[in-house]
Every structure is written in structure tokens, then in C-alpha cells.
Amino acid sequence: MLQLEGVSLSYGSFRALDGIRLHAKAGELVVLLGANGAGKSSIFLTASGLHKPAAGSIRLEGQEIAGARPAQIVARGLVQCPEGRKLFPQMSVQKNLMLGSYVHRRDGTGNRQRLDEVLELFPILAQKKNDPAGSLSGGQQQMVAIGRALMGRPRVLMLDEPSLGLAPLVVKQVFDVLKKINAAGTTVLLAEQNAHAALKIAHRAYVIERGRIVLEGSPETLMNNDAVRKAYIGA
């Protein structure tokens, strides 16, 4: 469904991505593990059209999207939930959510239906839909960020470090929701440092270091890899 082949990206003289090859099949939940600065966010920003690759191909459902405008990519079904949530704190929860439906703004009926589905997925947001997003807890704000991405009606949802800064119990709640989203038919690409939690819900995983994919395999394979355990699991 989503396929990157030989994708490279440079920031000036710095090579952020070097020949990235990865894919996520329809219905998969794929985890991308890596430390800060390894290139996880660069992959997402390039796939989203916010950065232009220096080389390589990015295909969504067989169609080339490298070079397309970000709004076109969202309309085709590839939606990103960015690191750090990027909410508008003074705006209400509902208005933040509705921003995610901008590319579908002419479909008012569909957007209202989608909003109902998001609020059903996150009941606490239904209770707080008129509250400023900035007044919510960190976990609730992450739910708003995920919900906003879902308003874009993704076929492939990319989430960049959704567990960052959250307590372990909240991380479990967020990841349980990601499992539900995936089980409902949305392909998920999840960038994480929290390998222990992420690999529990993944179908496959990649490890990225210094802009290169250095390992690929099943969650079991990576959990049993000494180097991965030492770097990302602490055991």
C-alpha cells in the first residue's frame, strides 16, 4: 500500500536519509524504531510531501506521490500525526479535530459522521469537545492529535512518537486505540523509541540508524535481537 524505494533526503550537506526502502501492506501495523535524529521524522515528512526527496520513489497504492503537494497526499489517503501533537491550544477540542477534515471540507455530512466516529473512539474528548485543547492532559492532547489525523480519512496513518512524554498507563491506552484503528482496516506506520510497547502491537518492524534501515523483521525477531534489546528495551 505504501512503498518507499531508494529514498534519500539531504539538508544541505547533511544526508538525513540514505536509500530508504520500506513498505507497509494493506492492513498492516508497521513499527519504525530509532533513536532521536535517526531519520524517523524525516521519512514521515518526506512521505507527507513536506520535504522533497533527493532520490527515490514513494508510492501509495501503486501511484507515485513523491513531489505531490501535501494536501494532495492527504486527499489520496496518507495522513500524518506529527511528533509533539501540534495542536492549537486556545481553540476547542472540536475545532482542532475539524481542522483535520480540511481537504474534505465540501463534504459536511461525511465530516460530521467522521467526527462522531472519532468521539466514539475517544469518549473523553466527547465530554471535553468545547474545552480549549491546551487545558487537556498530555494523554488527552495526544488523543486529539490522533483524532485530528483520523478526520483526514486515512487509508495509511503515520504516527510520529505518539507515546512521547506520556505515563505508561496512558501509553497503553493510546496503543490500544491504535490497535483498534488498525483492526478497523487502516494501515498504520508507527515511529517509536518505546520498542517494548510498540512491538507488542506490530505485525512487522524496521530499525533505522543514521538515515539507513539496518534491520527488518517480525516483532519476535527484533525482541530477541541483543542489539535491539540493548538499544531500545534496556534488557
Side-chain angles (χ1 to χ4, degrees), residues 1 4-5 25 40 50 62 65 76 92 132 181 199 215:
M1 175 165 271
L4 281 70
E5 287 289 341
K25 298 177 182 177
K40 303 187 303 297
L50 296 169
I65 60 171
R76 292 184 186 183
S92 71
I181 293 169
L199 291 175
L215 192 62

Side-chain angles (χ1 to χ4, degrees), residues 38-120:
K40 303 187 303 297
S41 294
S42 292
I43 288 176
F44 282 11
L45 293 170
T46 304
S48 297
L50 296 169
H51 291 330
K52 184 177 180 181
S57 171
I58 305 173
R59 293 184 177 273
L60 179 64
E61 295 184 320
Q63 295 187 343
E64 184 67 46
I65 60 171
R69 297 194 305 273
Q72 292 176 320
I73 292 173
V74 171
R76 292 184 186 183
L78 180 61
V79 180
Q80 179 182 3
C81 180
E83 180 182 354
R85 303 157 195 160
K86 306 294 193 295
L87 303 181
F88 291 88
Q90 302 304 320
M91 292 174 57
S92 71
V93 167
Q94 182 165 317
K95 287 183 178 179
N96 270 275
L97 291 172
M98 291 304 295
L99 286 173
S101 64
Y102 180 77
V103 298
H104 306 293
R105 57 193 178 279
R106 294 182 176 86
D107 182 14
T109 300
N111 288 335
R112 286 189 293 272
Q113 179 179 343
R114 188 65 166 176
L115 178 63
D116 288 343
E117 293 170 356
V118 169
L119 295 179
E120 183 177 352

